Amino acid sequence: MKTKNLIATTLGFAVLAGAAALAQTKPEDTEVWTPTPPKVAPAKDAGGAPSDAVVLFDGRGLDQWVASQDKSPAGWTVADGVIIVNKARGNIETKRSFRDYQLHLEWRIPADIAGAGQARGNSGVFLASTGPRDQGYEVQILDSYENATYVNGQAGSVYKQHPPLANASRAPGQWQTYDIIWRAPVFGADGALAKPATVTVIHNGVLVQDNAVLAGETVYIGKPTYKAHGPAPIKLQAHGDPSAPISFRNIWVRELAPRP
Ligand code: MG
């Protein structure tokens, strides 16, 4: 009799607990209203930038850029709203430094491009420049429309680290877009790597790097390694190959809050 009562009482509590749980499953229980995301006005047209972007080139001049070599005014050519690489003047980089960001840029291989492999429209965007030459983390720019080379060196690759997931290249003469999400590496106070860099790249609307984890800075020969650095400029490459120089336009960046 006592046991029966206990079972009955236990069952009663279980029913009550179940009812209480049901009472907490209103749709409102899982709605979050604050904090509200900041308002960002999207670009008015395809070539524009969102309202909170730092515009790095809008067709008018290179005032946001300097020569990587000596920080003198960037010596690349601006004509008809477009930047044309001047290989003799070396790499250029942003005056400002960035940590984590979303970057948009557009580039065009000349219609009459000649050459083969890595010597055919080679440039690149270094997501954090750590020196005046090719130090940093390079997303490759190259004519990869019909141009065989090592796959971890074609357009959309993280140079010598990650081949692109697809070849989304347009033919020479057409404008191409990169939309890049860069999460810089995090270093401890002792300079040791705490969190590697990651990058997502969308090439002409096609995902080519999906949160790829970097093993270190880009190197031409040997294995990549990390060395500690803070916020850094974004750098564009003046590659030494003899093919005709490529062009850039519509470059903007949105700084992102650090990863939690
Ligand atoms: Mg390159």
Side-chain angles (χ1 to χ4, degrees):
M1 197 64 173
K2 236 182 172 181
T3 310
K4 262 188 182 170
N5 279 344
L6 186 64
I7 290 168
T9 308
T10 307
L11 277 172
F13 277 127
V15 169
L16 279 173
L22 274 175
Q24 286 169 15
T25 55
K26 297 196 303 292
E28 294 79 1
D29 292 337
T30 45
E31 293 176 357
V32 177
W33 285 70
T34 58
T36 55
K39 283 193 175 181
V40 176
K44 293 186 185 75
D45 52 65
S51 59
D52 64 346
V54 175
V55 176
L56 296 173
F57 180 72
D58 64 0
R60 277 178 285 189
L62 289 171
D63 50 302
Q64 295 289 322
W65 299 82
V66 291
S68 297
Q69 199 76 338
D70 56 6
K71 314 290 182 192
S72 65
W76 291 11
T77 308
V78 177
D80 301 325
V82 165
I83 304 171
I84 303 157
V85 179
N86 182 340
K87 297 187 185 190
R89 301 294 290 272
N91 297 338
I92 67 169
E93 65 187 35
T94 55
K95 287 180 181 172
R96 289 179 57 161
S97 289
F98 304 94
R99 194 179 294 275
D100 295 356
Y101 58 78
Q102 171 189 354
L103 173 68
H104 174 88
L105 63 89
E106 301 177 19
W107 51 276
R108 182 180 60 188
I109 304 289
D112 60 350
I113 192 74
Q118 293 291 309
R120 187 177 169 91
N122 197 331
S123 182
V125 52
F126 288 85
L127 303 172
S129 173
T130 59
R133 296 186 181 277
D134 290 348
Q135 299 98 332
Y137 313 84
E138 183 185 10
V139 171
Q140 176 69 309
I141 292 174
L142 189 73
D143 175 27
S144 290
Y145 185 65
E146 285 175 342
N147 177 34
T149 186
Y150 41 95
V151 295
N152 60 352
Q154 72 180 70
S157 67
V158 177
Y159 187 76
K160 292 266 179 99
Q161 292 195 42
H162 295 290
L165 300 171
N167 182 347
S169 298
R170 291 193 173 118
Q174 296 186 43
W175 284 102
Q176 312 202 41
T177 60
Y178 272 168
D179 289 282
I180 297 174
I181 315 298
W182 169 246
R183 294 291 187 181
V186 178
F187 299 94
D190 59 353
L193 181 72
K195 209 179 271 186
T198 61
V199 69
T200 294
V201 180
I202 296 171
H203 180 195
N204 297 328
V206 176
L207 182 70
V208 296
Q209 297 292 340
D210 182 8
N211 204 34
V213 178
L214 273 65
E217 294 191 23
T218 297
V219 282
Y220 183 46
I221 298 169
K223 299 279 188 193
T225 55
Y226 280 106
K227 59 176 187 285
H229 64 84
I234 296 165
K235 181 170 62 188
L236 301 177
Q237 186 183 45
H239 191 269
D241 75 84
S243 67
I246 79 159
S247 304
F248 290 94
R249 71 176 185 189
N250 296 332
I251 310 175
W252 52 261
V253 62
R254 293 182 62 242
E255 293 181 89
L256 302 175
R259 292 173 291 188

